[in-house]
Amino acid sequence: MSEKQKTAGEENPEKLIHLKQTEPPAAAAGLQAVAVSVKHILGEMGVGRGIKALKSLNQMDGYDCPGCAWPDPDRERSSLGEFCENGVKAIAEEATTKKLTAEFFESHAVDDLAQLNDYEIGKKGRIAEPVYLAEGASHYQGISWDDAFAKIGSHLRALASPDEAVFYTSGRTSNEAAFLYQLFVREFGTNNLPDCSNMCHESSGVALTETLGTGKGSVTLDDFNKAEVILILGQNPGTNHPRMLTALQKAKQKGAIIISINPLRETGLVGFRNPQTVGGVLGATTSITDLFLPVKINGDMALLQGIEKILLEEEEKNPGTVFDKTFIQSHTAGYDGFISHLRSQTIDHLSEISGITIEQMKEAAALLRNKSRIIAFWAMGLTQHKNAVDTIKEIVNLLMLKGSMGKDGAGTCPVRGHSNVQGDRTMGIYESPSEPFIDRLNSIFGIQAPKKKGFDVVESIKAMHEGKAKVFFAMGGNFLSATPDTAYTARALRNCDLTVHVSTKLNRSHLVHGKEALILPCLGRSDKDITGGEQQFVTCENSMSVVQMSRGSLPPVSTYLLSEPAIVCRLAKATLGNRTRILWDKYLEHYDNIRNDIERAIPGFDNYNKQVRKPGGFYLRNPVRDRQFRTGDQKAQFTLSTATQHHLNDHEFIMMTIRSHDQFNTTIYGLDDRYRGIHSERRVIFMNAKDIEREGLSAGTVVDLHNHHGGVHRQARKFVVVPYDIPLGCTATYFPETNVLVPIDITAEKSNTPASKTVVISVTPHASR
């Protein structure tokens, strides 16, 4: 292995640092968001193609944004454009006219491409034809689709067990492709179906299922207009879900109070300038947050319990005026035990753990005291901790105390980070399927799908690392850059006999490969899909359980691209041959045939083809909205949890990984993060000014970051110290650059999600090699 190959798992840090800093803006979006959007569109595709792409984006007869899973309005869509700045960036990336043919790969060695940073890799363009890397070769080369499928099928059939293959799924995958994918994988004989949910909202699904009986959020977009209080926990809507700001603005106009809980005072939590209004373009700002609570990293549970304890004291002074005893008595279980546990907690201890003063807790409790229509939103800031499941259960405890469940303007909302990640799970992309689901597949399709639990993401990495999994197939995504412990994961992928990636753009996972490797280029959301002689559409499910159609509008950049459903069908035929019981060719005649079988196999999809053709699609039923809880006793469950206090040694800090504003998941749109005042650089570490002084550092010092969990020295080199408004002992860095520091074996209890928001690090001045 060459020196270049040894470092290819993470980007090369030995480059000049060009950090420039400005004051963060007072509000998100506004005219600057419009200007940045135009710049990205013109830079990637030109005026005509750009206008056509944006005209259809998130419209009822158009295509679903490949970015976040924020819902679209039910009844009408804005004629000015139903998208945000980061949605435009996502489309500019996907619909770019730059393309990579076999000639590009044949003239660029894999080792050389691996020395580029993630931004440079992503900007190369769309992959225009399938390519293959032979064992020991230095360059990918062109390969026909037939030969590519034959090679994959040969490898899969040669395995000693189907469980030696791993089939990963990215949230971008449509319902139709996801359903076919899991059907093929299960007919092949394994449940090794890890997906990006394992790394984000798996904790939410576990917590909500155990407490409420349904693993999805319970609110709709209309609930914003009826909410009295909105809690935003561990979420940065201005960057990660910018269209949420419009909904928050409308809620504020209706009188809602917004409480934001986050270690960083993010611009999108402070103010919003709506670029679709004249006032917003001219600078008129809507203040978003009424009360900001700068919680310590992972101090959310302690804060919630502190607020609950104060509310309990008020309830005991004036029985029946604070808690919704009717709801509690009729619809919940475990209340008395919960109250006893809450009484045993001391408010001073909870204040210490959370970093929030008792007075601030009282202020939050006062805003909640007389309110019953409360919505709680959260994202990765809560789900990627060891105690993530219990923290989310604490949110449910609070909402149940207030009766904020199953009524208008109230409920839970885990805000999904990737379009259709929720739909993929609905379609059966899950390593631990229920027995009734497997029984339905076996009965409908005449197959013998296994019931044994498969590998999730972390388990898949360990299996590849140990040589127990030999073929890795990824339906979308950038697996290496999305996962923890980058060096460990890179070794795991290199252990495979074959790695295969279905992709639109070049990414780092293509450059850290098995003994053999294939890249299979697919159509994007914005591309027209002509199958069976007519244009097809696919469907997606958003964060609020709306299923709607997505129909691309742009001519593909290459005639060699296949749709994801076509890739799955041809892969299944090449692998299973005559032993398949499924009529794969039928699905390629028309996607209605796929949806007909989804209707047969997946509950809630009655009259699927008819329902999804309605403007705006349809809602999947959520029992929690009707106060129906599918738990063992048909009651919503109060739970008991104890807040964790992190004991750090001298010179240690808690690090959380975050996104920049020029980023969506592992896709890097640029090197700026203007909402935090960062420009031209990503290798930065945000630290409290007092911590910087205590460590003998200063603003601009170049440092190395270290983690020593399990006796392994993990190191991320050459980061710039940036003083920031963040609690003492807490730091923040961008991923994927610091995923190398996230230990593979520190994960959330029950969900096994990597604990990327609670990483213990030390910081030392940069040591040149």
Side-chain angles (χ1 to χ4, degrees):
M1 184 183 298
S2 70
E3 285 303 311
K4 287 183 178 179
Q5 285 177 314
K6 290 178 183 177
T7 61
E10 55 176 314
E11 70 175 41
N12 181 8
E14 297 305 324
K15 295 187 176 183
L16 294 176
I17 292 173
H18 299 287
L19 175 63
K20 299 177 182 177
Q21 288 184 255
T22 59
E23 282 296 316
L31 185 60
Q32 190 170 15
V34 176
V36 171
S37 299
V38 171
K39 178 182 177 182
H40 276 265
I41 285 291
L42 295 181
E44 295 293 340
M45 67 181 79
V47 176
R49 186 175 170 90
I51 291 174
K52 190 171 185 179
L54 297 181
K55 185 178 180 182
S56 299
L57 180 56
N58 291 325
Q59 297 299 330
M60 290 185 180
D61 60 348
Y63 62 93
D64 204 40
C65 179
C68 79
W70 188 252
D72 305 307
D74 288 337
R75 286 172 288 278
E76 59 184 45
R77 310 284 165 88
S78 171
S79 59
L80 295 176
E82 194 60 57
F83 49 79
C84 66
E85 175 190 339
N86 278 358
V88 172
K89 291 174 182 175
I91 291 305
E93 286 280 311
E94 176 183 282
T96 180
T97 54
K98 295 183 291 189
K99 57 185 180 181
L100 307 181
T101 63
E103 286 74 19
F104 169 86
F105 289 97
E106 289 164 4
S107 61
H108 291 79
V110 172
D111 284 2
D112 292 333
L113 290 171
Q115 297 306 299
L116 302 176
N117 62 36
D118 291 289
Y119 168 66
E120 292 166 334
I121 292 171
K123 284 299 181 182
K124 291 298 181 184
R126 284 286 292 270
I127 302 167
E129 57 186 296
V131 290
Y132 166 65
L133 184 70
E135 184 171 1
S138 59
H139 293 68
Y140 279 96
Q141 61 187 31
I143 187 173
S144 71
W145 278 105
D146 285 344
D147 287 348
F149 290 126
K151 190 169 290 292
I152 301 167
S154 176
H155 272 275
L156 291 174
R157 288 192 303 273
L159 296 173
S161 163
D163 290 331
E164 291 184 342
V166 169
F167 297 90
Y168 175 73
T169 312
S170 162
R172 185 203 65 206
T173 307
S174 67
N175 284 343
E176 289 75 9
F179 179 77
L180 295 182
Y181 190 48
Q182 64 84 28
L183 190 60
F184 156 64
V185 171
R186 291 191 164 110
E187 188 179 24
F188 176 64
T190 185
N191 282 314
N192 289 347
L193 281 160
D195 73 325
C196 54
S197 284
N198 297 151
M199 295 181 285
C200 56
H201 273 290
E202 196 70 58
S203 299
S204 300
V206 172
L208 295 177
T209 298
E210 291 188 357
T211 55
L212 304 177
T214 301
K216 300 179 181 180
S218 64
V219 303
T220 71
L221 209 51
D222 281 346
D223 286 316
F224 274 83
N225 299 322
K226 302 166 185 175
E228 295 175 303
V229 180
I230 294 173
L231 298 173
I232 304 174
L233 304 100
Q235 187 201 6
N236 177 16
T239 287
N240 300 337
H241 308 90
R243 287 195 298 155
M244 181 178 172
L245 294 176
T246 302
L248 292 174
Q249 182 185 48
K250 291 178 179 178
K252 291 284 289 187
Q253 292 167 349
K254 295 279 188 178
I257 295 167
I258 296 178
I259 301 173
S260 295
I261 300 169
N262 200 57
L264 298 175
R265 188 185 295 269
E266 305 284 15
T267 294
L269 296 174
V270 175
F272 173 51
R273 293 172 183 153
N274 192 335
Q276 294 202 340
T277 65
V278 174
V281 170
L282 295 177
T285 300
T286 297
S287 177
I288 296 295
T289 296
D290 295 285
L291 176 63
F292 176 70
L293 301 174
V295 68
K296 288 181 181 178
I297 293 174
N298 197 217
D300 306 86
M301 183 194 295
L303 171 58
L304 291 166
Q305 290 181 345
I307 293 170
E308 291 163 345
K309 189 171 180 67
I310 293 166
L311 289 173
L312 174 61
E313 293 171 356
E314 293 297 312
E315 168 68 19
E316 290 176 334
K317 291 176 185 175
N318 301 281
T321 64
V322 179
F323 291 172
D324 187 336
K325 288 296 186 64
T326 300
F327 173 82
I328 291 169
Q329 292 168 5
S330 300
H331 297 289
T332 73
Y335 172 76
D336 290 340
F338 169 74
I339 293 301
S340 177
H341 175 70
L342 195 59
R343 287 196 179 105
S344 71
Q345 308 299 306
T346 65
I347 194 73
D348 289 336
H349 185 59
L350 296 173
S351 174
E352 179 186 359
I353 294 174
S354 67
I356 301 300
T357 66
I358 296 173
E359 287 306 310
Q360 288 173 307
M361 290 182 181
K362 288 181 177 179
E363 190 176 356
L367 294 176
L368 294 168
R369 185 188 188 284
N370 298 316
K371 304 294 189 294
S372 65
R373 296 196 306 275
I374 304 166
I375 300 176
F377 293 88
W378 68 89
M380 271 8 75
L382 261 60
T383 66
Q384 294 179 328
H385 299 283
K386 191 169 183 178
N387 62 349
V389 171
D390 285 343
T391 297
I392 295 163
K393 287 181 177 180
E394 205 63 55
I395 295 174
V396 174
N397 285 340
L398 175 59
L399 294 177
M400 290 194 298
L401 290 174
K402 300 299 295 175
S404 295
M405 201 76 69
K407 65 169 65 172
D408 290 345
T412 59
C413 187
V415 188
R416 308 286 174 173
H418 203 163
S419 175
N420 211 47
V421 63
Q422 184 162 302
D424 288 348
R425 181 57 60 87
T426 302
M427 291 296 108
I429 300 293
Y430 188 29
E431 75 282 353
S432 186
S434 69
E435 189 167 320
F437 175 73
I438 295 299
D439 288 342
R440 281 197 303 274
L441 292 184
N442 290 341
S443 175
I444 292 168
F445 297 102
I447 63 177
Q448 294 184 336
K451 295 182 179 180
K452 184 181 73 171
K453 180 185 179 299
F455 297 141
D456 62 20
V457 163
V458 169
E459 291 163 344
S460 294
I461 296 169
K462 290 181 177 180
M464 291 187 287
H465 197 274
E466 296 166 8
K468 296 177 181 178
K470 303 178 187 302
V471 174
F472 175 80
F473 189 103
M475 183 62 71
N478 182 359
F479 187 80
L480 176 70
S481 293
T483 48
D485 221 333
T486 308
Y488 183 97
T489 301
R491 290 193 294 273
L493 289 169
R494 292 192 182 107
N495 277 348
C496 292
D497 293 332
L498 176 69
T499 50
V500 184
H501 295 272
V502 177
S503 304
T504 55
K505 302 285 294 295
L506 189 67
N507 65 53
R508 189 165 297 282
S509 295
H510 304 144
L511 310 176
V512 179
H513 49 77
K515 296 179 181 68
E516 297 178 72
L518 283 158
I519 307 174
L520 307 181
C522 66
L523 296 173
R525 290 270 180 87
S526 57
D527 292 324
K528 284 184 178 180
D529 180 354
I530 306 298
T531 297
E534 64 177 282
Q535 184 174 358
Q536 303 290 330
F537 68 84
V538 294
T539 58
C540 302
E541 178 185 345
N542 64 35
S543 269
M544 295 180 183
S545 300
V546 177
V547 179
Q548 59 186 357
M549 69 168 62
S550 177
R551 191 195 314 266
S553 62
L554 301 178
V557 296
S558 168
T559 58
Y560 291 103
L561 307 183
L562 291 182
S563 70
E564 289 178 324
I567 290 172
V568 176
C569 289
R570 292 181 64 175
L571 172 62
K573 291 170 63 179
T575 302
L576 302 173
N578 293 330
R579 78 177 180 92
T580 185
R581 303 292 300 273
I582 296 163
L583 301 176
W584 298 101
D585 286 336
K586 176 185 71 172
Y587 298 136
L588 294 182
E589 293 171 2
H590 202 286
Y591 292 176
D592 278 359
N593 295 329
I594 308 174
R595 288 184 284 272
N596 285 337
D597 278 354
I598 291 174
E599 180 180 334
R600 297 168 66 201
I602 309 293
F605 286 80
D606 299 338
N607 300 311
Y608 192 7
N609 276 306
K610 181 179 179 180
Q611 287 270 77
V612 82
R613 284 177 164 85
K614 295 179 180 178
F618 65 97
Y619 279 91
L620 293 174
R621 182 173 179 269
N622 188 311
V624 176
R625 291 176 187 153
D626 301 319
R627 292 190 167 179
Q628 295 178 12
F629 306 104
R630 294 178 176 174
T631 58
D633 59 4
Q634 305 300 301
K635 302 279 190 180
Q637 305 294 308
F638 279 97
T639 54
L640 314 183
S641 301
T642 301
T644 302
Q645 185 161 22
H646 297 283
H647 297 284
L648 300 174
N649 296 321
D650 290 343
H651 310 296
E652 286 186 341
F653 301 90
I654 296 290
M655 181 195 80
M656 63 176 181
T657 61
I658 58 176
R659 292 186 200 170
S660 80
H661 191 63
D662 259 0
Q663 173 180 1
F664 176 72
N665 291 344
T666 60
T667 302
I668 311 301
Y669 303 131
L671 301 179
D672 295 343
D673 187 7
R674 72 173 188 275
Y675 288 171
R676 299 189 183 103
I678 301 297
H679 303 271
S680 303
E681 184 57 63
R682 288 182 51 83
R683 299 182 77 86
V684 300
I685 177 169
F686 298 102
M687 299 180 68
N688 185 289
K690 291 182 179 178
D691 285 331
I692 294 172
E693 182 180 2
R694 187 178 299 117
E695 292 298 301
L697 306 172
S698 59
T701 300
V702 180
V703 296
D704 297 333
L705 315 180
H706 312 267
N707 170 274
H708 291 90
H709 175 76
V712 177
H713 182 201
R714 300 170 185 85
Q715 183 175 215
R717 305 177 66 247
K718 208 171 183 181
F719 281 70
V720 184
V721 171
V722 175
Y724 212 77
D725 185 8
I726 188 171
L728 282 167
C730 300
T731 66
T733 58
Y734 301 130
F735 76 87
E737 287 84 352
T738 53
N739 283 1
V740 68
L741 298 172
V742 182
I744 188 69
D745 55 355
I746 298 186
T747 60
E749 295 167 353
K750 294 189 176 183
S751 72
N752 210 28
T753 296
S756 300
K757 298 290 190 287
T758 326
V759 183
V760 176
I761 65 166
S762 58
V763 182
T764 61
H766 172 60
S768 299
R769 286 178 174 172

